[in-house]
Structure formats: C-alpha cells, structure tokens
Short mmCIF file of all heavy atoms in Angstrom, two decimals:
data_model
loop_
_atom_site.label_atom_id
_atom_site.label_comp_id
_atom_site.label_asym_id
_atom_site.label_seq_id
_atom_site.Cartn_x
_atom_site.Cartn_y
_atom_site.Cartn_z
N GLU U 255 -12.65 2.33 18.71
CA GLU U 255 -13.53 1.25 18.25
C GLU U 255 -14.88 1.80 17.75
O GLU U 255 -15.54 1.19 16.94
CB GLU U 255 -13.76 0.25 19.37
CG GLU U 255 -12.57 -0.58 19.78
CD GLU U 255 -11.59 0.12 20.66
OE1 GLU U 255 -11.89 1.28 21.12
OE2 GLU U 255 -10.50 -0.37 20.89
N ASP U 256 -15.24 2.99 18.19
CA ASP U 256 -16.54 3.56 17.87
C ASP U 256 -16.49 4.52 16.66
O ASP U 256 -17.50 5.12 16.27
CB ASP U 256 -17.16 4.30 19.08
CG ASP U 256 -17.56 3.34 20.15
OD1 ASP U 256 -17.86 2.17 19.86
OD2 ASP U 256 -17.55 3.78 21.33
N HIS U 257 -15.25 4.72 16.10
CA HIS U 257 -15.11 5.66 15.00
C HIS U 257 -15.33 4.91 13.64
O HIS U 257 -14.79 3.80 13.47
CB HIS U 257 -13.73 6.30 15.00
CG HIS U 257 -13.51 7.21 13.80
ND1 HIS U 257 -14.20 8.43 13.64
CD2 HIS U 257 -12.70 7.11 12.77
CE1 HIS U 257 -13.78 9.00 12.53
NE2 HIS U 257 -12.91 8.24 11.96
N ARG U 258 -16.04 5.50 12.73
CA ARG U 258 -16.24 4.91 11.43
C ARG U 258 -15.45 5.70 10.37
O ARG U 258 -15.62 6.89 10.21
CB ARG U 258 -17.72 4.95 11.04
CG ARG U 258 -18.05 4.29 9.66
CD ARG U 258 -19.52 4.30 9.42
NE ARG U 258 -20.08 5.61 9.15
CZ ARG U 258 -20.14 6.16 7.96
NH1 ARG U 258 -19.70 5.49 6.90
NH2 ARG U 258 -20.68 7.34 7.77
N MET U 259 -14.59 4.96 9.63
CA MET U 259 -13.86 5.58 8.55
C MET U 259 -14.67 5.66 7.27
O MET U 259 -15.46 4.70 7.00
CB MET U 259 -12.58 4.75 8.28
CG MET U 259 -11.54 4.81 9.35
SD MET U 259 -10.63 6.34 9.44
CE MET U 259 -9.53 6.16 8.06
N HIS U 260 -14.48 6.70 6.48
CA HIS U 260 -15.14 6.77 5.17
C HIS U 260 -14.27 6.04 4.14
O HIS U 260 -13.03 6.05 4.27
CB HIS U 260 -15.37 8.20 4.77
CG HIS U 260 -16.53 8.84 5.48
ND1 HIS U 260 -16.41 9.35 6.75
CD2 HIS U 260 -17.79 9.01 5.08
CE1 HIS U 260 -17.59 9.84 7.16
NE2 HIS U 260 -18.43 9.65 6.18
N SER U 261 -14.91 5.46 3.16
CA SER U 261 -14.17 4.72 2.11
C SER U 261 -13.55 5.63 1.10
O SER U 261 -14.02 6.76 0.85
CB SER U 261 -15.08 3.74 1.42
OG SER U 261 -15.57 2.75 2.27
N GLU U 262 -12.42 5.17 0.52
CA GLU U 262 -11.77 5.87 -0.57
C GLU U 262 -11.40 4.85 -1.64
O GLU U 262 -11.05 3.69 -1.34
CB GLU U 262 -10.50 6.62 -0.04
CG GLU U 262 -10.83 7.68 0.96
CD GLU U 262 -9.58 8.19 1.71
OE1 GLU U 262 -8.77 7.31 2.13
OE2 GLU U 262 -9.46 9.38 1.90
N ILE U 263 -11.45 5.28 -2.90
CA ILE U 263 -11.17 4.37 -4.00
C ILE U 263 -9.72 4.40 -4.36
O ILE U 263 -9.08 5.44 -4.49
CB ILE U 263 -11.97 4.84 -5.27
CG1 ILE U 263 -13.49 4.79 -4.93
CG2 ILE U 263 -11.70 3.93 -6.47
CD1 ILE U 263 -14.03 3.43 -4.67
N GLY U 264 -9.13 3.18 -4.58
CA GLY U 264 -7.71 3.07 -4.87
C GLY U 264 -7.42 2.00 -5.87
O GLY U 264 -8.22 1.12 -6.18
N HIS U 265 -6.15 2.05 -6.37
CA HIS U 265 -5.71 1.06 -7.37
C HIS U 265 -4.22 0.83 -7.24
O HIS U 265 -3.41 1.77 -7.14
CB HIS U 265 -6.02 1.60 -8.77
CG HIS U 265 -5.57 0.72 -9.87
ND1 HIS U 265 -6.14 -0.49 -10.21
CD2 HIS U 265 -4.51 0.86 -10.75
CE1 HIS U 265 -5.45 -1.03 -11.19
NE2 HIS U 265 -4.47 -0.22 -11.55
N VAL U 266 -3.83 -0.43 -7.21
CA VAL U 266 -2.42 -0.87 -7.28
C VAL U 266 -2.26 -1.78 -8.50
O VAL U 266 -2.94 -2.81 -8.57
CB VAL U 266 -1.98 -1.66 -5.98
CG1 VAL U 266 -0.52 -2.04 -6.10
CG2 VAL U 266 -2.21 -0.81 -4.75
N SER U 267 -1.43 -1.40 -9.41
CA SER U 267 -1.29 -2.15 -10.64
C SER U 267 -0.44 -3.41 -10.42
O SER U 267 0.28 -3.53 -9.44
CB SER U 267 -0.61 -1.32 -11.72
OG SER U 267 0.75 -1.05 -11.40
N VAL U 268 -0.59 -4.35 -11.37
CA VAL U 268 0.25 -5.56 -11.32
C VAL U 268 1.73 -5.21 -11.37
O VAL U 268 2.52 -5.77 -10.61
CB VAL U 268 -0.13 -6.51 -12.51
CG1 VAL U 268 0.84 -7.67 -12.57
CG2 VAL U 268 -1.53 -6.96 -12.37
N ALA U 269 2.07 -4.29 -12.23
CA ALA U 269 3.50 -3.90 -12.38
C ALA U 269 4.05 -3.32 -11.09
O ALA U 269 5.18 -3.62 -10.68
CB ALA U 269 3.66 -2.89 -13.51
N THR U 270 3.27 -2.46 -10.45
CA THR U 270 3.77 -1.86 -9.16
C THR U 270 3.88 -2.88 -8.09
O THR U 270 4.84 -2.89 -7.32
CB THR U 270 2.79 -0.74 -8.75
OG1 THR U 270 2.88 0.34 -9.70
CG2 THR U 270 3.16 -0.18 -7.39
N ALA U 271 2.88 -3.76 -7.99
CA ALA U 271 2.93 -4.83 -6.97
C ALA U 271 4.14 -5.72 -7.13
O ALA U 271 4.90 -5.99 -6.22
CB ALA U 271 1.65 -5.65 -6.98
N ASP U 272 4.40 -6.12 -8.39
CA ASP U 272 5.55 -6.99 -8.67
C ASP U 272 6.88 -6.27 -8.33
O ASP U 272 7.80 -6.85 -7.75
CB ASP U 272 5.53 -7.43 -10.15
CG ASP U 272 4.45 -8.42 -10.46
OD1 ASP U 272 3.84 -9.00 -9.47
OD2 ASP U 272 4.16 -8.62 -11.63
N ALA U 273 6.95 -4.97 -8.71
CA ALA U 273 8.22 -4.24 -8.47
C ALA U 273 8.49 -4.08 -7.01
O ALA U 273 9.61 -4.25 -6.54
CB ALA U 273 8.09 -2.86 -9.15
N LEU U 274 7.44 -3.78 -6.20
CA LEU U 274 7.66 -3.55 -4.77
C LEU U 274 7.99 -4.90 -4.08
O LEU U 274 8.79 -4.91 -3.13
CB LEU U 274 6.41 -2.92 -4.19
CG LEU U 274 6.13 -1.50 -4.64
CD1 LEU U 274 4.86 -0.97 -4.01
CD2 LEU U 274 7.30 -0.54 -4.32
N ASN U 275 7.38 -5.97 -4.49
CA ASN U 275 7.72 -7.27 -3.90
C ASN U 275 9.17 -7.63 -4.23
O ASN U 275 9.87 -8.20 -3.39
CB ASN U 275 6.76 -8.35 -4.44
CG ASN U 275 5.36 -8.21 -3.86
OD1 ASN U 275 5.20 -7.73 -2.74
ND2 ASN U 275 4.38 -8.62 -4.65
N ALA U 276 9.64 -7.25 -5.43
CA ALA U 276 11.03 -7.53 -5.79
C ALA U 276 11.99 -6.69 -4.95
O ALA U 276 13.06 -7.14 -4.56
CB ALA U 276 11.23 -7.24 -7.28
N VAL U 277 11.64 -5.44 -4.65
CA VAL U 277 12.44 -4.57 -3.80
C VAL U 277 12.67 -5.22 -2.44
O VAL U 277 13.79 -5.34 -1.96
CB VAL U 277 11.76 -3.18 -3.61
CG1 VAL U 277 12.43 -2.39 -2.50
CG2 VAL U 277 11.83 -2.41 -4.94
N ARG U 278 11.62 -5.68 -1.82
CA ARG U 278 11.74 -6.27 -0.47
C ARG U 278 12.46 -7.60 -0.55
O ARG U 278 13.22 -7.95 0.39
CB ARG U 278 10.38 -6.45 0.17
CG ARG U 278 9.67 -5.10 0.40
CD ARG U 278 8.41 -5.28 1.16
NE ARG U 278 8.63 -4.99 2.59
CZ ARG U 278 7.73 -5.21 3.52
NH1 ARG U 278 6.56 -5.78 3.18
NH2 ARG U 278 7.96 -4.93 4.79
N ALA U 279 12.28 -8.36 -1.61
CA ALA U 279 12.93 -9.66 -1.77
C ALA U 279 14.44 -9.54 -1.80
O ALA U 279 15.15 -10.41 -1.31
CB ALA U 279 12.40 -10.40 -2.99
N ARG U 280 14.92 -8.42 -2.33
CA ARG U 280 16.39 -8.26 -2.41
C ARG U 280 16.94 -7.43 -1.28
O ARG U 280 18.12 -7.01 -1.25
CB ARG U 280 16.78 -7.59 -3.76
CG ARG U 280 16.23 -6.18 -3.94
CD ARG U 280 16.94 -5.54 -5.15
NE ARG U 280 16.52 -4.16 -5.29
CZ ARG U 280 15.55 -3.71 -6.11
NH1 ARG U 280 14.91 -4.58 -6.85
NH2 ARG U 280 15.23 -2.48 -6.16
N GLY U 281 16.09 -7.11 -0.27
CA GLY U 281 16.56 -6.41 0.94
C GLY U 281 16.38 -4.95 0.91
O GLY U 281 16.78 -4.24 1.88
N GLY U 282 15.72 -4.40 -0.10
CA GLY U 282 15.41 -2.98 -0.11
C GLY U 282 14.18 -2.65 0.74
O GLY U 282 13.48 -3.51 1.21
N ARG U 283 13.97 -1.37 0.99
CA ARG U 283 12.85 -0.96 1.80
C ARG U 283 11.77 -0.24 0.96
O ARG U 283 12.08 0.54 0.06
CB ARG U 283 13.36 0.02 2.91
CG ARG U 283 14.28 -0.64 3.91
CD ARG U 283 14.89 0.36 4.85
NE ARG U 283 15.71 1.40 4.17
CZ ARG U 283 16.36 2.37 4.81
NH1 ARG U 283 16.35 2.40 6.12
NH2 ARG U 283 17.06 3.21 4.09
N VAL U 284 10.54 -0.49 1.33
CA VAL U 284 9.38 0.23 0.73
C VAL U 284 9.12 1.44 1.58
O VAL U 284 8.82 1.32 2.77
CB VAL U 284 8.17 -0.70 0.64
CG1 VAL U 284 6.93 0.11 0.18
CG2 VAL U 284 8.43 -1.81 -0.34
N VAL U 285 9.28 2.62 0.98
CA VAL U 285 9.10 3.88 1.68
C VAL U 285 7.85 4.56 1.14
O VAL U 285 7.81 5.00 0.00
CB VAL U 285 10.32 4.79 1.47
CG1 VAL U 285 10.19 6.07 2.27
CG2 VAL U 285 11.61 4.08 1.83
N SER U 286 6.83 4.65 1.96
CA SER U 286 5.57 5.20 1.53
C SER U 286 5.62 6.73 1.68
O SER U 286 5.97 7.28 2.71
CB SER U 286 4.41 4.70 2.41
OG SER U 286 3.21 5.33 2.05
N VAL U 287 5.32 7.45 0.56
CA VAL U 287 5.22 8.88 0.58
C VAL U 287 3.78 9.19 0.95
O VAL U 287 2.90 9.24 0.08
CB VAL U 287 5.64 9.50 -0.77
CG1 VAL U 287 5.47 11.02 -0.72
CG2 VAL U 287 7.08 9.13 -1.05
#
C-alpha cells in the first residue's frame, strides 16, 4: 500500500481492442506476452 508506481505511456488501437474482444466472444483466450 505504501509503494508508488511510476507511470508509463501506452496505446491500444481501436482495431486491436475490437479484435481481442472478438477473440474472447468466440471462446478464444487472450494470451499476454
């Protein structure tokens, strides 16, 4: 609770978000590398 994380800049595109939501909707798994 007393540790402070530093921020990092990131981006998730519309195309990637849509594709991953479709994967899970059909029963596939999202595997984070």
Side-chain angles (χ1 to χ4, degrees):
E255 291 79 8
D256 292 333
H257 178 69
R258 181 177 71 90
M259 292 285 284
H260 285 81
S261 295
E262 296 166 317
I263 300 295
H265 176 73
V266 180
S267 69
V268 173
T270 294
D272 288 347
L274 295 177
N275 289 330
V277 167
R278 296 188 98 189
R280 65 169 184 263
R283 296 172 298 184
V284 171
V285 183
S286 177
V287 178

